Amino acid sequence: MKATANGLTAKQVLAEVGAPVVVFDRVQLAFDDKVVLRDLSFTLIKGHTKIILGASGSGKSTALKIIVGLLKADAGVVWVNGQRVDQLSEHELMAVRTDLGMIFQEGALFDSLTVRENVGYKLYEETDMPLEEVDRRVEEVLGFIGLAEHIDKMPSELSGGQRRRVAIARAMAFKPSVLLYDEATTGLDPITATTVDDEMIKLRDLENVSSIIVTHQLRDAFYVATHMATRDRDGTVHVVPATPQKERQAEFIMLRDGLIIFEGDADAFRNSKDEYIQEFLA
Amino acid sequence: MIRAIDSGLKKAALEVQEYVFLTAAAFRGVFTRPIYSHDIVEQFDLIGVGSLTVVLMTGLFTGMALASQSGLTLDQFGARPVVGRLVSASMIKELGPVLAGLMLVGRVGSGIAAELGSMVVTDQINALRALGTDPVRKLVVPRVLAGFFMAPVLTIISDFVGIFGGWVVSRFQLEVASGLYWSSVTKSLYMQDVWMGLIKPFVLGFIIVTIACHVGLRTSGGTQGVGKATTLAVVAGSVAVIAADFFVTQILIFTIYPR
Ligand SMILES: Nc1ncnc2c1ncn2[C@@H]1O[C@H](COP(=O)(O)OP(=O)(O)OP(=O)(O)O)[C@@H](O)[C@H]1O
Ligand SMILES: [Mg+2]
């Protein structure tokens, strides 16, 4: 591994507080002649949250797919956990992906597999973890998300919201350090949505997971940005309003016409004078 | 006009290139780890056992029709007793492989294209990749292996059933003695014919499945795209089966038959 200017390896840099986990530098992407991302640059710091907003078709899902290496940008540099994913081959990307969890917009559950097999997919198929241990982990994750009784059903037997939660469980199951949520709470009732939001907050604050949240649900966006999870001395976990310092660790990004038209914390976003954002908030 | 032809040619060349890449990747996937053995077993069952009924039915009726027709023709030369020879040669060399191939296109090729196509449009292929699985190893390799090894098995079954069907018609409609039929079936069979009948289905099975996988994985355009991919897999697969049959026949005639 190459040493940086001050003598640290990339691994050591990434272990530090405040290390950049995902970096987009002037990323561009067009499908044929339709430009989707014109010039996109942002940095996700370890343990922080990026909330990406934007109208339908503004390229939010596309940006997430670029991070995972499912799509290749036409230009620009993309760093994920110290690796240039824009330059890696599909084979080399597999190593980067072991630390990335993605929740796809439509869930993308494997419809030939049961809920259990979906959630444990990576652990069953791609790791050497003993089967009983995988089973335990799958049950644990499904328990978090309130789907324990559906473990042996097929995805087609679940409601839309249940499927979305299974997708979240599948991304969480192998404990990645970066989670990418594409509309994870869309279509959920407010109570379930809050459960999912709480889960995202807990993963971020207690497990130090870095997250990128794509959503149209402003309610969930603000909730995640303005709350934090704490653990009592006796081990119980609470989700409480965030301290101002913590609040600054969640940043909003607004995409429009392939460009970022706003970047800042929840307060700044709420008080933005931009007409488009005002309309979006209304 | 010229530009349209030009872009069309480019597209076709690109398509062929992608197909070759996929085939090469599948080949690599067969010989290197990771191997998804569970999926391989499942596909052998789905493609092999699952196609048994159609192959039995087509084999039987083809053999019976063949005997009936040959009987008519042979009577013109007073050669009815050699009907077994015609049935077995036609079944083993040509009709068994081709018809089993066509049935596999209809049943297996369409199914693969529809399944992989819908996995593409619902992001399941992307989800596999995001979870660290190479879709070629997980989905294409098991299907190609199953197609490659099960097509010959199904073809042999179809050959036997066809020859049996030929016996039924010969015995009860043409009134050829059973002993005569069976001895003409076996006596006239050259080893080269058997080779031809065995080599063909390997090639056809491989072609059917790789085309279906390629078409399925290149699906775009939502549910409508899945429909199109399925149709394309059947059309391209059927044409490829018949064309490949011709070329394999030519190659074998020039290589294994004595001249
Ligand atoms: N595979 C593709 N081929 C061609 N165009 C595509 C493809 N995928 C996405 N697009 C186009 O790229 C643009 C951005 O798509 P994307 O899915 O990133 O939007 P989004 O911001 O996630 O929208 P939504 O909020 O509706 O999910 C859209 O205009 C879409 O038509
Ligand atoms: Mg989207």
Side-chain angles (χ1 to χ4, degrees):
Chain A
M1 198 159 271
K2 243 190 288 166
T4 52
N6 48 13
L8 296 173
T9 62
K11 211 174 209 139
Q12 285 165 321
V13 172
L14 283 168
E16 308 242 313
V17 177
V21 180
V22 176
V23 181
F24 265 50
D25 190 17
R26 314 215 58 176
V27 170
Q28 300 172 21
L29 180 77
F31 289 111
D32 297 323
D33 49 3
K34 185 181 187 317
V35 180
V36 178
L37 302 176
R38 206 171 291 279
D39 181 355
L40 185 60
S41 303
F42 67 84
T43 302
L44 172 69
I45 304 290
K46 192 160 108 181
H48 288 203
T49 312
K50 280 272 178 240
I51 296 164
I52 303 184
L53 303 167
S56 185
S58 56
K60 306 181 296 294
S61 302
T62 305
L64 292 189
K65 284 180 182 166
I66 290 175
I67 296 174
V68 191
L70 301 173
L71 287 175
K72 284 260 187 280
D74 296 334
V77 175
V78 182
W79 293 89
V80 176
N81 274 335
Q83 303 259 27
R84 286 271 310 258
V85 294
D86 53 309
Q87 290 185 332
L88 297 184
S89 69
E90 180 76 12
H91 182 71
E92 294 166 318
L93 277 169
M94 292 302 180
V96 179
R97 290 173 183 155
T98 53
D99 216 14
L100 290 177
M102 171 143 180
I103 290 104
F104 286 85
Q105 187 163 7
E106 306 295 339
L109 296 180
F110 304 128
D111 40 32
S112 58
L113 303 181
T114 64
V115 169
R116 176 197 295 278
E117 291 163 338
N118 262 287
V119 173
Y121 179 83
K122 186 171 182 118
L123 298 174
Y124 286 120
E125 292 279 12
E126 304 295 343
T127 67
D128 300 326
M129 195 189 257
L131 284 188
E132 312 86 73
E133 218 169 296
V134 177
D135 284 341
R136 214 170 319 125
R137 175 69 187 152
V138 169
E139 280 153 26
E140 179 187 26
V141 179
L142 281 173
F144 281 157
I145 215 107
L147 287 174
E149 74 266 36
H150 300 295
I151 191 159
D152 289 315
K153 288 196 180 157
M154 300 304 285
S156 56
E157 298 170 83
L158 300 177
S159 76
Q162 288 167 336
R163 275 204 289 276
R164 202 170 288 272
R165 278 142 74 200
V166 174
I168 295 171
R170 181 174 71 182
M172 280 170 42
F174 57 98
K175 299 192 177 167
S177 73
V178 181
L179 273 168
L180 313 170
Y181 305 90
D182 198 349
E183 309 273 4
T185 53
T186 307
L188 299 183
D189 62 279
I191 294 171
T192 317
T194 307
T195 322
V196 170
D197 293 338
D198 284 346
E199 206 52 54
M200 297 193 217
I201 294 170
K202 284 183 213 160
L203 285 167
R204 178 188 67 197
D205 297 343
L206 306 176
E207 317 272 341
N208 209 18
V209 169
S210 321
S211 16
I212 297 185
I213 299 171
V214 166
T215 186
H216 285 301
Q217 315 277 102
L218 290 168
R219 196 193 77 100
D220 296 308
F222 280 112
Y223 183 87
V224 174
T226 59
H227 286 76
M228 62 189 231
T230 57
R231 199 192 296 271
D232 277 355
R233 229 169 278 120
D234 63 356
T236 49
V237 173
H238 301 280
V239 174
V240 296
T243 59
Q245 187 214 358
K246 185 80 199 172
E247 222 175 271
R248 274 196 296 280
Q249 296 185 359
E251 230 179 0
F252 286 72
I253 288 181
M254 182 87 188
L255 290 185
R256 188 184 183 188
D257 298 331
L259 296 169
I260 294 180
I261 58 161
F262 174 88
E263 193 168 10
D265 65 15
D267 261 344
F269 186 64
R270 214 180 271 121
N271 299 325
S272 168
K273 293 280 176 296
D274 189 284
E275 258 176 52
Y276 185 72
I277 294 177
Q278 281 303 323
E279 214 173 307
F280 208 83
L281 285 170
Chain B
M1 180 63 192
I2 288 174
R3 191 174 298 161
I5 294 174
D6 192 48
S7 89
L9 279 178
K10 253 185 212 144
K11 241 191 197 154
L14 212 66
E15 193 83 27
V16 172
Q17 186 187 13
E18 294 266 336
Y19 174 76
V20 173
F21 282 165
L22 179 71
T23 314
F27 208 72
R28 237 176 292 126
V30 172
F31 295 106
T32 54
R33 290 175 58 80
I35 301 275
Y36 296 92
S37 43
H38 174 82
D39 295 271
I40 295 178
V41 174
E42 190 179 325
Q43 289 305 321
F44 268 80
D45 183 48
L46 280 175
I47 292 181
V49 182
S51 309
L52 205 54
T53 330
V54 272
V55 167
L56 284 176
M57 299 298 275
T58 39
L60 181 70
F61 285 112
T62 309
M64 298 207 298
L66 200 56
S68 232
Q69 296 278 17
S70 310
L72 283 180
T73 315
L74 289 172
D75 277 350
Q76 298 172 358
F77 309 99
R80 189 185 273 198
V82 297
V83 63
R85 189 169 178 162
L86 262 178
V87 171
S88 77
S90 314
M91 264 329 274
I92 290 175
K93 287 200 293 185
E94 191 62 33
L95 288 173
V98 170
L99 289 178
L102 291 176
M103 288 302 121
L104 284 179
V105 170
R107 205 189 152 274
V108 173
S110 63
I112 289 175
E115 186 182 4
L116 299 192
S118 58
M119 288 184 78
V120 169
V121 301
T122 57
D123 261 343
Q124 288 180 59
I125 299 287
N126 277 336
L128 271 181
R129 293 167 64 200
L131 288 164
T133 296
D134 177 353
V136 172
R137 289 171 186 279
K138 173 88 177 162
L139 302 170
V140 177
V141 167
R143 287 168 175 75
V144 171
L145 283 177
F148 184 73
F149 287 109
M150 290 321 274
V153 173
L154 291 167
T155 301
I156 291 170
I157 294 173
S158 156
D159 292 345
F160 275 110
V161 178
I163 293 171
F164 169 78
W167 169 77
V168 173
V169 169
S170 302
R171 172 73 187 77
F172 296 103
Q173 188 187 336
L174 305 178
E175 297 179 335
V176 173
S178 290
L180 206 53
Y181 177 83
W182 289 113
S183 70
S184 93
V185 160
T186 44
K187 238 195 311 194
S188 66
L189 211 57
Y190 296 107
M191 209 49 219
Q192 283 87 344
D193 298 342
V194 177
W195 278 118
M196 169 137 0
L198 272 177
I199 292 170
K200 273 185 184 176
F202 279 108
V203 177
L204 299 186
F206 179 81
I207 289 178
I208 293 163
V209 176
T210 45
I211 287 180
C213 287
H214 167 74
V215 169
L217 288 177
R218 279 178 60 83
T219 303
S220 64
T223 351
Q224 206 185 2
V226 177
K228 279 191 194 143
T230 312
T231 311
L232 182 59
V234 173
V235 173
S238 311
V239 174
V241 160
I242 293 177
D245 174 69
F246 170 74
F247 288 113
V248 174
T249 307
Q250 296 307 307
I251 292 170
L252 292 180
I253 283 177
F254 282 109
T255 49
I256 63 173
Y257 281 83
R259 266 173 296 159

